Amino acid sequence: QVQLVESGGGSVEAGGSLRLSCTISTYTYEYFDYCMGWFRQAPGKEREGVAVLTYNGRAAYAEDVAGRFTVSKGNAKNSLFLQMTSLKPEDTAMYYCAADRLASSVCLRMIPRDLDYWGQGTQVTVSS
């Protein structure tokens, strides 16, 4: 069973920064097979992709966060991060970490229904 736990959310003013962390509990050798990424869902809106990393290290970003957010895997195994800078009020949402064994082409589409394993989410609130 794969489990993901997010942390690092909070409240910041516009222009500020936050770093989200995700720990995935699985066998270490399986970790390297996974597409991992960050998704978010604002009230009244559908869940959307923010940033993903394929199993072989390719990254993709949503257009409205490219250049402001950076997704990375940690030196410690089984960890994923999202560094968020220049935050805007429209970035306010519940942020979820997700993972699954996916081909790169599928992973890079950042479609939530393609991934089976999800964390509980961490709230990010950006005030103007």
Side-chain angles (χ1 to χ4, degrees):
Q1 182 69 23
V2 178
Q3 294 183 324
L4 300 101
V5 178
E6 304 97 335
S7 62
S11 297
V12 296
E13 294 184 351
S17 299
L18 282 174
R19 188 182 193 227
L20 305 184
S21 300
C22 174
T23 300
I24 175 171
S25 298
T26 185
Y27 293 110
T28 300
Y29 67 88
E30 293 182 336
Y31 168 71
F32 296 103
D33 293 340
Y34 280 91
C35 161
M36 296 184 70
W38 294 94
F39 296 77
R40 67 187 180 187
Q41 188 166 17
K45 295 187 177 182
E46 293 188 354
R47 193 169 296 188
E48 61 179 5
V50 175
V52 294
L53 272 177
T54 65
Y55 73 93
N56 55 359
R58 294 176 62 189
Y61 296 90
E63 186 174 343
D64 60 347
V65 306
R68 299 189 296 123
F69 291 9
T70 303
V71 62
S72 62
K73 287 185 177 179
N75 292 327
K77 300 186 188 302
N78 299 13
S79 58
L80 183 75
F81 302 103
L82 184 68
Q83 179 68 47
M84 305 185 293
T85 63
S86 301
L87 282 160
K88 304 175 182 179
E90 49 265 44
D91 294 318
T92 295
M94 185 70 78
Y95 282 71
Y96 297 91
C97 177
D100 209 335
R101 279 180 168 146
L102 299 175
S104 293
S105 58
V106 177
C107 180
L108 292 171
R109 298 187 311 190
M110 295 196 294
I111 298 176
R113 66 175 181 269
D114 287 337
L115 292 91
D116 282 343
Y117 304 108
W118 292 83
Q120 293 299 308
T122 185
Q123 178 67 38
V124 172
T125 303
V126 185
S127 59
S128 58

